[in-house]
Amino acid sequence: MDVNVPETRRRHRLGLPLWQLVGLAALAMPRVFVHDAGGRVGWPVQALLVFGPPLVWLAVAVLRRIPSPVITLLAVGGLYGAGVAVVHNLFWSDVFGNRPPRLGGNLADQLSPGTEELVFRLTTSASSLLTGLMVGLITGLLAVLVRRLARR
């Protein structure tokens, strides 16, 4: 352990405490709930739900001068993606009702309905996690760009 590194620096390797990372990820969750619950919102509200949270992530990374914004926002995006996966799985029956997705083509009727559902839920979860990570990565790269432009 390096005694020359301040305690707060050692504790927050991702640039922010865990509760703040979770809080930033949670800012993006209302859009997921609205979508999965079948809610309809107008364009300005939808734009705010989609673009507002990553803009807040960007602002936090730049204004707090987070040492590695890409890593920090990848973590936030990963938490967001995990949250999306959980919400999608919780709302699965509400979204699909009695018409769950089915495999087609050569895989049609090859698996039991339960196995098909498991395949789709796992795929949906992986997709949700990847989407969250991509949002975090893009936002982190934008934070690096903004910081470099601000130095000039």
Side-chain angles (χ1 to χ4, degrees), residues 27-35 39-54:
L27 290 175
M29 293 308 296
R31 186 205 62 79
V32 182
F33 283 104
V34 168
H35 177 267
R40 303 281 183 241
V41 294
W43 181 85
V45 174
Q46 183 67 15
L48 180 64
L49 291 173
V50 170
F51 297 110

Side-chain angles (χ1 to χ4, degrees), residues 76-117:
V76 172
L79 290 167
Y80 164 60
V84 171
V86 168
V87 171
H88 283 343
N89 278 288
L90 288 174
F91 279 87
W92 192 268
S93 296
D94 295 333
V95 171
F96 294 113
N98 293 329
R99 296 193 50 144
R102 308 296 295 181
L103 293 171
N106 293 338
L107 295 175
D109 300 322
Q110 297 297 311
L111 302 174
S112 71
T115 303
E116 280 192 10
E117 182 175 331

Side-chain angles (χ1 to χ4, degrees), residues 112-128:
S112 71
T115 303
E116 280 192 10
E117 182 175 331
L118 179 63
V119 167
F120 277 108
R121 284 180 180 257
L122 290 173
T123 303
T124 298
S125 296
S127 174
S128 298

Side-chain angles (χ1 to χ4, degrees), residues 1-97:
M1 177 158 74
D2 186 357
V3 292
N4 296 325
V5 178
E7 177 64 26
T8 55
R9 187 81 162 112
R10 280 194 308 254
R11 202 175 329 141
H12 308 303
R13 295 181 191 271
L14 291 174
L16 295 171
L18 179 60
W19 71 270
Q20 289 179 6
L21 298 172
V22 171
L24 288 171
L27 290 175
M29 293 308 296
R31 186 205 62 79
V32 182
F33 283 104
V34 168
H35 177 267
D36 282 8
R40 303 281 183 241
V41 294
W43 181 85
V45 174
Q46 183 67 15
L48 180 64
L49 291 173
V50 170
F51 297 110
L55 288 174
V56 171
W57 299 358
L58 176 67
V60 168
V62 171
L63 297 174
R64 295 274 308 265
R65 296 186 180 128
I66 292 175
S68 301
V70 172
I71 300 298
T72 301
L73 295 180
L74 265 174
V76 172
L79 290 167
Y80 164 60
V84 171
V86 168
V87 171
H88 283 343
N89 278 288
L90 288 174
F91 279 87
W92 192 268
S93 296
D94 295 333
V95 171
F96 294 113

